[in-house]
Amino acid sequence: MELLPDWIRTEVYHALSVHFPIAFLLLGTLLKLIAVFVKRDFLTTSGSLLLYLGTITAWVAIYTGDLADGRVSRSICDPTVLKSHENMAYYLTYIFTAASILDMAILSEKLTRFRRIGTVAIATLMLIGSGLLTYMGDLGASLVYQQAAGVSVPSEDCKEFE
């Protein structure tokens, strides 16, 4: 049996896209938390930009995860880990989406009177989302490294590579 080229295997797209939201959202959370205590426009703007990019790429990661689900669910030992991974991904993406919407409302001056409390609420949502992101990443690592999800495991003699 010949393996499909990597660009055809849709489960590979998830691995390519998932690291962007992790980096964007964790760094954005750090900047937003610092911005609560240190009043610098640069920190607030940078944190907002990373929040928006992270939220968009989180939705892309969910989409590519759905593409990989059919292939991966057939090859793993414990499908409950995959379901928990998927659920955590949705929860954290909803939380970061809510933080993005609130942040846009504050920046567009729709909620000017509530700027301070809104900034704290955004940072809190992002902190909760980052905790879920860390747990979800641990579940994803468990799927890949303990259950070989989406990974082609070669035979013992590696004959397929000759």
Side-chain angles (χ1 to χ4, degrees):
M1 178 176 132
E2 187 175 323
L3 297 174
L4 292 172
D6 282 346
W7 62 272
I8 293 176
R9 295 175 47 221
T10 56
E11 68 274 11
V12 174
Y13 299 147
H14 184 62
L16 291 172
S17 66
V18 76
H19 296 94
F20 290 106
I22 293 170
F24 291 151
L25 293 171
L26 290 178
L27 184 57
T29 299
L30 181 64
L31 292 178
K32 283 290 196 179
L33 286 172
I34 293 170
V36 167
F37 302 104
V38 179
K39 312 295 185 280
R40 297 278 191 268
D41 287 340
F42 174 76
L43 292 174
T44 302
T45 304
S46 298
S48 294
L49 179 62
L50 289 169
L51 172 61
Y52 305 151
L53 288 172
T55 301
I56 291 166
T57 56
W59 284 111
V60 170
I62 284 178
Y63 175 74
T64 59
D66 286 344
L67 291 176
D69 185 73
R71 162 82 163 77
V72 170
S73 63
R74 292 189 304 258
S75 67
I76 59 175
C77 298
D78 186 2
T80 61
V81 177
L82 179 61
K83 192 61 180 171
S84 294
H85 176 70
E86 181 181 12
N87 288 340
M88 285 300 120
Y90 275 105
Y91 299 152
L92 75 91
T93 304
Y94 290 140
I95 288 170
F96 281 112
T97 300
S100 295
I101 292 168
L102 184 57
D103 192 68
M104 285 184 224
I106 288 173
L107 289 178
S108 69
E109 299 182 2
K110 299 268 188 235
L111 300 174
T112 305
R113 285 196 275 168
F114 304 106
R115 180 176 297 269
R116 182 71 183 150
I117 195 165
T119 302
V120 172
I122 291 164
T124 303
L125 284 171
M126 292 179 74
L127 191 58
I128 293 167
S130 292
L132 292 175
L133 179 62
T134 303
Y135 178 61
M136 188 264 327
D138 182 61
L139 291 171
S142 173
L143 288 168
V144 172
Y145 294 109
Q146 293 175 341
Q147 299 190 46
V151 178
S152 297
V153 179
S155 60
E156 283 187 40
D157 60 2
C158 296
K159 288 281 187 189
E160 63 270 18
F161 296 111
E162 292 179 349

